[in-house]
Amino acid sequence: MSGTGDANFDHRLHKLVRQAEIAKMTDRDRWNLPPIEKGWLRGAAQNVRQSEETCEFGMLQVLEFDLVTDPKQPPVPVRMTGTYFTTRLLDTHVMDVPDPTPTVRPVTPVQIFFSHSNRETELRSYYPGRDAQTKRAGAMLGLAAVGGPILALVVSLAVLRFAFHVF
């Protein structure tokens, strides 16, 4: 951020800048944080449940909890799955959860952020088969890797032959 190379100084500077930004803002939510953007939910985790299922890559961990965004509204169910998670989740943690489709429940994010850390601390789920390429996409990439240089060679030979009369 500041380019000094001193990580401790950079972290303190980031913290001071963040505090100054927060002090300027007047709108606050019930956790004394700036309002959340559209497409996200902010709430406290309650009723955290963790279970395991078998999958093709070993044990699949399932993390389910209720996100209480407003005490007057029903909680939003959240379900995360992965072979492992980056950190633990406890009851009453306040977090920001991406919610691109508000009509679909439960929310199934791959990563969520802890709100009080300015989205620097995250809970991410990992699964080896997630976002894997299809066979067709892999075949097209292989064809492009082999066919691209061959096409470039043919075009360069044609340019040499017809434009410069080299051979």
Side-chain angles (χ1 to χ4, degrees), residues 50-94:
Q50 190 163 0
S51 61
E52 292 182 347
E53 300 173 0
T54 57
C55 71
E56 61 184 315
F57 299 108
M59 294 303 292
L60 179 70
Q61 297 179 11
V62 179
L63 179 66
E64 296 177 308
F65 59 93
D66 297 327
L67 188 71
V68 179
T69 58
D70 186 5
K72 299 172 185 165
Q73 300 291 328
V76 177
V78 179
R79 184 175 201 260
M80 295 179 73
T81 58
T83 52
Y84 69 94
F85 294 94
T86 55
T87 187
R88 291 187 53 181
L89 177 65
L90 302 173
D91 280 350
T92 70
H93 274 165
V94 179

Side-chain angles (χ1 to χ4, degrees), residues 131-149:
D131 299 330
Q133 286 184 355
T134 62
K135 288 183 180 181
R136 183 181 184 122
M140 292 303 290
L141 284 175
L143 183 63
V146 172

